[in-house]
Amino acid sequence: MTKRIGAPGSGISRRDFVKASGLGGTLALAGCAAPGDPEESVGTATETQTAQSGGNLPTTSPPEIVNVDEQGGQVTLSSVPARHSAHPGESMGGPVELPQVWAFKADDGNPSVPGPILRTTEGEDMEVTLDNTNGMRPHTIHFHAVSKDWEDDGVPTTTGIRVDPGEKHTYTIPADVPGTHLYHCHYQTPRHLDMGMYGIFRVDPKGYEPADKEYFLSFKEWDSRLNKQMAGMDASYSPRNRQPDVFTVNGKSAPRTLHPEDGSPIIVEQGDTVRLHMLNAGYMDHPMHIHNHRFEVTHKDGGQIPDAARHEQDVCSIPPAGRRTVEFTADADPGIYLMHCHKVNHVMNGNAYPGGMLTGVVYKEAMDTDIFGKLMEYAGYEG
């Protein structure tokens, strides 16, 4: 399968990216200097070194799209303790690290935060096996929106079913509500969701017609004290006194969000129809704003919005667990335009701005510019 560049979805090939940007093999920029407070970076780097010295955890990968239909309607999910780098470089207030997360992986794939995007088609049942044979604590999986049997709801308090260490359990999940949905662990939810046990569940309607460019984006805020505490570091965390300090798009903080392979830039070409499937996996509302493009919200939490109720807008507020699908035409002057949370303190890494919950709409026609090359330096792209 061809490696795609950009957010999970229908980006361009790596070959086309190198051709358009001219950056292949030309950069060796990890850790390069860029805007931000160098004193803050020193402090964060010390925390990172401490976390990395505490064990040999695997590192997370970007989330993959799993077409469950192509696997006979079956997928196995497991949880893997891992180290998660939201932004590894020193630019813009980095590095930003979560020294331990509980990452989902699908089948023999790599662990990721967010978890893999499970994609199926309306009318196709999924058998999702939660494999906790190598786990250290109980887990479950709860799928939003779809109409499943009681015992498949994934809530141990009301079903009596939890998956303890050493066990497996298979959930039958009907694909009977088209749209973009959330799945997550529902055991000790305030902690397990905040440790990274969440992902997108996508049900394409029958006869689905994709847009020219189609991407998946998950937004989340984190209180890194929990991740540090779970990594054995000297940190005290209470879910009733949550103080978010890390803000991510698909698990990454800007400028790493703009990295063409590790991040989630929204790569478009002039004239494209663009469809974004968005999830808020955090506990706070996030008003997402796209610069220089007017879009319509076409779907909300799995429900299609009638044409008569749609209108053009440039900010879309997404509540906790909310999902929105938006569509627009890439008809702006070809360039690079930000997409970010408009709670602007969420667009920071520590005290450094910009950073955090920010990515960008990147026109392929603008990739050969000096400013795009500079952004790739900030993102740590090495070519």
Side-chain angles (χ1 to χ4, degrees), residues 65-137:
I65 299 176
V66 177
N67 189 319
V68 183
D69 294 350
E70 295 178 354
Q71 301 187 172
Q74 298 180 333
V75 64
T76 297
L77 291 178
S78 54
S79 175
V80 180
R83 186 169 61 246
H84 184 70
S85 179
H87 171 43
E90 295 182 359
S91 60
M92 298 184 183
V96 180
E97 300 278 347
L98 298 175
Q100 187 174 143
V101 293
W102 301 338
F104 275 123
K105 74 170 187 174
D107 302 312
D108 295 325
N110 296 320
S112 65
V113 170
I117 298 156
L118 304 183
R119 192 166 197 172
T120 187
T121 306
E122 181 183 8
E124 300 292 332
D125 288 355
M126 295 195 313
E127 290 189 353
V128 181
T129 298
L130 175 56
D131 184 351
N132 203 21
T133 52
N134 295 318
M136 300 173 61
R137 53 189 60 83

Side-chain angles (χ1 to χ4, degrees), residues 1 7 48 59 89 110 119 157 206-207 209 212 214 216 253 277 306 315 320 341 380:
M1 184 174 65
T48 302
T59 56
N110 296 320
R119 192 166 197 172
T157 310
K206 293 178 181 178
E209 296 183 4
D212 296 325
E214 184 172 31
F216 292 90
S253 298
H277 304 292
V315 178
C341 180

